[in-house]
Amino acid sequence: MLPEIKRPKEHDELLKRLNEEFEKKHKRSIELLSNIKSERERISRLLNRFKFQEPDLIYRFYHQSFKVFIMVPLIEQADKLFGDIAPEGAEINSWYGLIAKGGIGKAFDKQTTNENWLSEVPQILLAFWNAKYFLEQMTVAADELNEAPMTLPSGWAAVLYLYGLR
């Protein structure tokens, strides 16, 4: 028989804190999945608008057309939706927040936008594509997950990162 290994009290306390933190995040992920399922139609409608607009808006980017700014309200709607479905106590991922900020509240300026096109407008595309990605992953989660899993598919893990739950 092997001798019993004595762990320091600090080790047990650390394990307890880690487990509590995990349980708290998992509880929020359960709430998030429930919120996503409840808002599945809203998420899907917005995602369909992103998909429908994307080919034309990317063309507008290369055409250097002010119409690329049609992306801005779509990004703003997605950002609002993400906030609306957030579980209590969850915060939107700071990287996503910075990326989204690059596309929120932007407007075409006849005086400066065209001459600064490649320094201003790609930020809007990046925000658009990130918002679209999370909308896509939320629809997949709503359709494929019956519960918040412990072993995470990559798309669901990304959605959890969006809310600081991973």
Side-chain angles (χ1 to χ4, degrees):
M1 183 166 187
L2 295 173
E4 183 180 336
I5 298 174
K6 301 268 185 184
R7 294 186 304 234
K9 183 178 179 183
E10 298 84 19
H11 183 265
D12 289 339
E13 290 171 5
L14 174 63
L15 287 176
K16 181 180 176 188
R17 281 196 321 269
L18 289 172
N19 188 55
E20 288 170 355
E21 184 64 25
F22 172 81
E23 291 296 328
K24 185 171 24 171
K25 285 184 177 183
H26 188 65
K27 182 178 177 185
R28 286 183 180 150
S29 70
I30 292 168
E31 181 183 347
L32 175 61
L33 183 58
S34 175
N35 294 350
I36 288 170
K37 285 179 176 285
S38 296
E39 293 291 339
R40 171 66 169 87
E41 285 304 312
R42 183 176 166 204
I43 294 166
S44 183
R45 279 193 312 271
L46 186 55
L47 175 58
N48 287 338
R49 290 181 57 213
F50 270 73
K51 288 179 176 180
F52 178 78
Q53 294 282 351
E54 185 176 23
D56 183 60
L57 295 177
I58 301 308
Y59 155 71
R60 299 296 176 178
F61 169 76
Y62 286 100
H63 188 60
Q64 204 166 355
S65 166
F66 71 94
K67 291 182 180 178
V68 76
F69 284 82
I70 291 170
M71 288 182 181
V72 172
L74 291 171
I75 297 162
E76 291 169 347
Q77 290 170 37
D79 197 60
K80 181 181 181 330
L81 172 63
F82 298 158
D84 290 349
I85 64 175
E88 187 177 330
E91 294 182 15
I92 297 293
N93 180 281
S94 61
W95 288 3
Y96 171 80
L98 288 171
I99 292 168
K101 188 176 178 181
I104 291 175
K106 304 298 181 189
F108 183 81
D109 182 331
K110 288 192 286 189
Q111 307 300 318
T112 62
T113 299
N114 279 334
E115 62 191 43
N116 297 306
W117 193 259
L118 288 178
S119 63
E120 291 181 17
V121 181
Q123 297 171 13
I124 297 169
L125 272 69
L126 182 60
F128 178 88
W129 283 322
N130 273 264
K132 179 182 171 229
Y133 171 78
F134 283 113
L135 291 168
E136 288 171 332
Q137 296 312 311
M138 288 177 185
T139 60
V140 168
D143 294 345
E144 295 181 3
L145 298 178
N146 294 321
E147 59 184 32
M150 295 291 209
T151 303
L152 305 176
S154 294
W156 179 241
V159 171
L160 293 179
Y161 263 115
L162 178 63
Y163 292 94
L165 300 176
R166 178 87 175 107

